[in-house]
Amino acid sequence: MTLPTDTDNSPEVSPSGRRKSGKKTARNVLLGFAAAVLVVGLVAGAYIFNLAQTFNSGTTKIDVAFPDESTRPQKSEPINGTAAMNILVMGSDTRGSSEVDVETDASTDQRADTLMLVHIPADRKNVYAVSLMRDLWVDIPGRGESKINAALAYGGVPLMVQTVESLFQQRIDHVAMVDFEGFKGLTDALGGVEIDVKIPFSPNSGPMKGHVYEAGPQTFNGDEALAFVRERKSFSDGDYQRVRNQQAYLKAIISKTIARETLTNPITINNMVSSVSPFISVDKSLDAAAIGSLALGMKDIRASDTVMFTLPTLGTGTSADGQSIVVADTTAISEIASALSKDQLGQYVTAHGLEKGN
């Protein structure tokens, strides 16, 4: 009998004479599976790296986003290693305006058409977005009383941050400025979004002039969504309804973004990041790594866990110098400030029936 040589491909034989081809096959299968997992991991890692690079390179960084440290509230105390987070989101509309440098604290002619304080509790189980009316009459540090959106014109992003921090006595952790034009590309990247239109209207100006926004669920493309979040003149309460429409749009965006069919489609995700990044300015610490870490902590969040409401006011009025303003509800502001300080905004929302917005 000829014994197998080192180059013989015959199945391995045990001392008992039994072939061990089964064990060898199993080992090969495991090695093949491990190799496949490694390849998939490398591909996924490269994709995520490229996605992060797209966001970091596409967004504009605000070099001076915060006021002097001596003027600021203290950071929130961590709970089980995690602290609550506050993000100031400003939406601007550049139609008919010149380019504005958002990277300095110099005075500009820029206004924040949309202003939201986004609060993420320490347990990361909810997201609360409080809309602040742009004509809300408040005290702007060093400037006296004025409409809140004037803070950006008076002293750039740092003064706007300082104004909101002074209003609620809460520290702002991150800042994001979004140009309304970015809504168009984001909506189209998602293949359109469905919004339940509460009040029908038809714009009398702009690219969508004459288009009818009928009451009920409507699926909007980018141009339709952009006009929807911009419109205010068609409504009897003007900016109040525009803010509600913007909240409805953002809820629709969130719902579709975290849907399984979106998150499992790398092309859609890449298109979303690529289309919206050029229209976003963020503080230097709000990079892809920070967003990725936050997203990981909020992986179980669903659309129903996001609550958006408008900061209660006392209606409209006229300032001493004749400006049309929104009168601040100091009691509501004090209650929300207290809830934020205790990381109990959820209790405030429930107590005032704001779970579905207002």
Side-chain angles (χ1 to χ4, degrees), residues 162-177:
Q162 187 179 3
T163 300
V164 176
E165 287 185 336
S166 298
L167 189 66
F168 294 108
Q169 293 301 304
Q170 290 297 302
R171 189 182 183 92
I172 301 298
D173 300 291
H174 292 294
V175 177
M177 297 185 69

Side-chain angles (χ1 to χ4, degrees), residues 1 4 47-48 53 86 91 108 118 132 134 143 169 197 213 233 250 260 272 276-277 282-283 289 298 324 350:
M1 180 176 67
Y47 167 70
I48 293 172
Q53 288 296 100
N86 296 312
T108 72
V118 178
L132 310 180
R134 64 177 185 171
R143 292 283 184 164
Q169 293 301 304
V197 178
Y213 288 80
K233 294 182 179 180
L250 290 174
R260 185 176 182 277
M272 286 173 56
V276 77
S277 293
V282 294
D283 67 89
M298 298 167 60
S324 177
T350 300

